[in-house]
Amino acid sequence: MNAPDRSAPDPHGFLRGRERWRPVEALPWLIAIGAFFALPDYMILGTQVITMIIFALSLDLILGYAGIVSLGHAAYFGAGAYATGMLSAHLGWGEPISGLLFGGAVAGLVGFVSGWVLLRYHGLTLLMLTLATAIMLQELANVLEVWTGGFDGLLGMEFTPLFGLFENDLWGHAYYWYALAVLAICFLFARRLVHSAFGRTLVGIRENTRRMHAIGSPVHWRLVTVYTASATMAGLAGALFAEINAYVTLDVLSFARSGAVLIVLILGGTGRLYGAFVGATVYVILEDELAKASPEFWEFGVGLVLVLVVLFFRGGLLGGLDSAARRLKEARS
Amino acid sequence: MNPVLNAAVSILFDGLAYGMLLFIISVGLSITMGLMGFVNLAHGAFAMAGGYVTVSLMNLLGVPFLPALGGAFVIVAAVSMPIERLIYLPLYRAGELDQVLLSIGVVFMAIAGATFVWGSTPPSIRMPDFLTGQVDLGFKTFPAYRTFTIGVGMAMILALWLGFERTIIGAKIRAAVDNRAMAQAVGIDVDRLFVVTFALGSGLAAMGGGLAIEIVGLSPPFAIQYLVFFLIVVAVGGLGSIRGAFVAAIVLGIIDTAGKYLWPDGGAFFIYAAAVLLLLVKPWGLFGREQT
């Protein structure tokens, strides 16, 4: 292993170097734009992929950088989806962009309050608390049938065209660009965040909480802050989901959704932002192809892949790619 | 009898039977999590497997119900040992995330496998005559099967209590739960204890799965549907505490049953809310020890 970076005499230069844009980072955006022209019939699926990327990206902030393991991240996705949905269905506010921001804000608030309480705990207790909180919210949505539609789902949302111009048509073309724009903003925010001094303290907390306490870092507030940011982003994904489908069910808060986003992120690779892109694309497309053809095969496959990833490829797909590239380089030199 | 009192007794009785079921399935999870610190979300899969082994033994081989339950215990316990050695062992020292993911993967494979082999329609079994109908306990008649379940639960807690308090291996397990390093230092083969307790816990879950067929039904998603309940029993009771698992399971069983009778839509909310509150106040559960 060669690690000359670590002993670099100029640590600021090293950190700045990590933040510098590399040409390869244009690739996902080129693919997304290319897909619009090459596969116009698949834009609904494409929008699903993008929603999942935003959701997985939000999880990467807390899991990949701060090391917070959550089994209930769907709580914030669902909070955003229901907030945006209820704003339109009950108050008749159907302007999509403000509706989206409202969904994100509500989810952020839920994230702030729950994070402030939950992040005092760690390990198994935290795991159980995140799980139980999400299920509790799901049951709450079930009980508050008058507002949420309960088991039957929330109906009656109507959204006005984007900027008064672009309708959410049957092929999902306008909303594809809309979702892509939301993703781009979320990604730029996340990228800036993880490369900031704040982002470095998160990694410090992940690696050694005690030492971060010892050097005077306000650990709890750092965690609450990133948790709130992550919940807001998950809420934006949920709000987008509500606006695309004009329909929200209890499923948005389910354990299955929390599990799926975790699987997506692990599959792509944690703590590297682009893991969310790769994982979500592979997962959503494969699910679309396989889950309909043979649900058992799909489920078994997901389980097997998870076991194999945990036992043998801890970095996920991107981690595997990285180590393959490194090996190739070593073999050449 | 006064109708209100009558209903209350019925709720208590059904809740007790349900709680016993939760206890039988969850106690193994509590011990293995307390002993190994392994977050095993696949525990429900062993219960589901036990249910299907019971069904297969009865419907294909014509084994009577009680021996079939025993068969489920033995077969699932035996199968769980190589699984523990091959898949779980490498991750005992890994973080929670890895353990969670690995065991979710195992659950997925188990559910898909069970759907493939047994289909997704809930199977039916024929109960022996003495478990159908009602038993008269003097002041009121009760469903025979639930009475039987409570009896099995009582027998289990007695057997476990004797096993843990009065045998050498039980003492070794208690020692290892308390302080693994010290137990190893005095020459206890903790590694072998892992296998034994894992098999025991899986076997108990399997038996619980067989018992559950007549009460909550059986289908492949069973492995994940009740997982949250098992986890709540373990976390609320305290890791590695048999007494804690028992108290938590009975309380949860009674509250859940009462909720279903009295407020069918909203009862579940209060269970989760209560569990969250309790964990906030007592992060190590009712009878758990503080861990670092």
Side-chain angles (χ1 to χ4, degrees):
Chain A
M1 300 300 269
N2 51 340
D5 299 331
R6 286 180 193 282
S7 55
D10 173 18
H12 296 286
F14 165 65
L15 288 175
R16 267 199 304 278
R18 292 183 65 151
E19 198 186 347
R20 197 169 300 132
W21 290 89
R22 284 166 298 158
V24 68
E25 292 185 76
L27 196 63
W29 311 100
L30 292 177
I31 292 175
I33 294 166
F36 179 80
F37 295 105
L39 305 161
D41 296 339
Y42 287 92
M43 285 305 101
I44 304 237
L45 184 66
T47 318
Q48 281 174 12
V49 172
I50 294 173
T51 315
M52 185 56 108
I53 295 176
I54 301 173
F55 189 24
L57 195 61
S58 77
L59 182 65
D60 202 15
L61 285 183
I62 58 165
L63 178 67
Y65 290 90
I68 303 167
V69 185
S70 169
L71 281 180
H73 208 48
Y76 312 109
F77 184 89
Y82 270 112
T84 304
M86 287 193 282
L87 187 69
S88 168
H90 297 311
L91 301 176
W93 185 265
E95 202 286 308
I97 295 178
S98 52
L100 184 90
L101 294 178
F102 179 72
V106 170
L109 189 68
V110 176
F112 174 75
V113 174
S114 58
W116 187 75
V117 178
L118 298 187
L119 293 169
R120 295 164 193 281
Y121 303 89
H122 42 84
L124 181 69
T125 316
L126 178 60
L127 212 62
M128 287 299 308
L129 282 171
T130 54
L131 173 69
T133 305
I135 297 179
M136 190 173 83
L137 280 182
Q138 192 183 16
E139 290 298 334
L140 191 67
N142 191 20
V143 176
L144 300 177
E145 212 177 334
V146 192
W147 291 301
T148 62
F151 191 73
D152 300 326
L154 180 65
L155 286 163
M157 283 170 238
E158 277 191 32
F159 295 101
T160 56
L162 279 164
F163 305 112
L165 292 172
F166 307 104
E167 191 93 41
N168 183 16
D169 55 29
L170 215 53
W171 302 275
H173 287 171
Y175 268 50
Y176 181 74
W177 291 108
Y178 177 39
L180 198 59
V182 177
L183 171 62
I185 294 166
C186 286
F187 176 74
L188 286 176
F189 171 77
R191 197 177 185 282
R192 186 72 203 88
L193 185 123
V194 302
H195 287 117
S196 66
F198 174 78
R200 306 309 301 167
T201 47
L202 292 181
V203 175
I205 292 169
R206 181 189 74 195
E207 294 299 322
N208 195 333
T209 313
R210 233 173 250 185
R211 187 169 295 176
M212 291 308 282
H213 276 297
I215 64 169
S217 178
V219 170
H220 184 239
W221 282 111
R222 292 274 191 272
L223 291 178
V224 172
T225 308
V226 73
Y227 201 76
T228 307
S230 165
T232 308
M233 201 182 283
L236 291 175
L240 205 54
F241 176 89
E243 291 180 350
I244 291 162
N245 300 303
Y247 181 51
V248 177
T249 61
L250 291 175
D251 176 62
V252 293
L253 289 163
S254 66
F255 175 57
R257 190 172 295 273
S258 300
V261 69
L262 196 57
I263 293 169
V264 161
L265 189 62
I266 298 304
L267 188 64
T270 55
R272 44 175 76 235
L273 297 185
Y274 285 105
F277 288 71
V278 174
T281 311
V282 170
Y283 184 90
V284 175
I285 291 177
L286 278 184
E287 185 185 32
D288 188 64
E289 294 289 318
L290 288 178
K292 277 174 213 151
S294 163
E296 287 105 69
F297 183 72
W298 161 248
E299 200 169 19
F300 192 86
V302 170
L304 187 65
V305 166
L306 261 185
V307 171
L308 293 178
V309 164
V310 173
L311 288 180
F312 303 112
F313 310 98
R314 261 323 267 115
L317 285 171
L318 282 184
L321 219 62
D322 260 3
S323 54
R326 203 178 308 126
R327 223 166 287 158
L328 206 69
K329 213 182 269 175
E330 272 167 24
R332 251 192 235 152
S333 60
Chain B
M1 196 150 64
N2 179 330
V4 175
L5 190 67
N6 196 20
V9 171
S10 290
I11 289 174
L12 264 170
F13 189 80
D14 284 3
L16 198 60
Y18 185 39
M20 288 292 183
L21 205 58
L22 284 177
F23 169 71
I24 295 173
I25 298 180
S26 314
V27 67
L29 185 61
S30 179
I31 301 296
T32 48
M33 271 165 82
L35 184 57
M36 308 169 200
F38 194 100
V39 186
N40 183 13
L41 300 191
H43 192 70
F46 292 105
M48 176 204 65
Y52 278 110
V53 170
T54 311
V55 169
S56 301
L57 285 176
M58 290 179 71
N59 293 353
L60 297 179
L61 303 176
V63 180
F65 182 62
L66 294 183
L69 277 184
F73 180 97
V74 173
I75 292 172
V76 172
V79 170
S80 74
M81 281 195 253
I83 294 179
E84 193 265 351
R85 287 288 98 173
L86 284 176
I87 303 180
Y88 285 73
L89 183 67
L91 288 182
Y92 280 144
R93 296 199 184 282
E96 284 122 18
L97 177 64
D98 283 359
Q99 301 173 346
V100 162
L101 292 167
L102 180 98
S103 51
I104 289 182
V106 172
V107 176
F108 274 33
M109 289 201 288
I111 293 179
T115 314
F116 184 74
V117 177
W118 287 288
S120 50
T121 39
S124 64
I125 47 173
R126 228 187 84 76
M127 280 291 134
D129 291 335
F130 71 94
L131 288 181
T132 54
Q134 309 277 321
V135 269
D136 196 348
L137 291 187
F139 61 104
K140 185 170 158 36
T141 57
F142 294 100
Y145 190 75
R146 284 168 203 266
T147 317
F148 169 71
T149 309
I150 293 175
V152 174
M154 294 291 199
M156 276 303 130
I157 184 117
L158 190 70
L160 283 172
W161 182 77
L162 284 176
F164 274 89
E165 299 293 329
R166 292 281 183 273
T167 67
I168 290 290
I169 191 144
K172 284 180 179 172
I173 291 174
R174 276 184 288 133
V177 170
D178 276 358
N179 191 334
R180 186 162 63 198
M182 187 55 92
Q184 253 160 342
V186 298
I188 295 174
D189 187 348
V190 176
D191 203 43
R192 213 177 60 199
L193 277 186
F194 281 0
V195 191
V196 175
T197 42
F198 192 84
L200 183 74
S202 307
L204 278 174
M207 209 171 77
L211 277 171
I213 301 173
E214 281 294 297
I215 294 185
V216 297
L218 177 67
S219 63
F222 180 91
I224 205 125
Q225 260 167 9
Y226 291 92
L227 173 70
V228 179
F229 268 35
F230 307 151
L231 285 172
I232 285 181
V233 166
V234 171
V236 166
L239 289 184
S241 163
I242 295 180
R243 190 167 49 153
F246 183 75
V247 172
I250 299 298
V251 170
L252 187 63
I254 291 175
I255 294 181
D256 190 46
T257 309
K260 276 179 186 141
Y261 275 98
L262 303 176
W263 190 20
D265 295 329
F269 170 72
F270 283 100
I271 290 190
Y272 298 119
V276 167
L277 281 180
L278 196 129
L279 283 180
L280 291 178
V281 180
K282 292 187 81 109
W284 311 112
L286 289 173
F287 296 93
R289 278 156 178 265
E290 191 160 330
Q291 289 165 18
T292 45

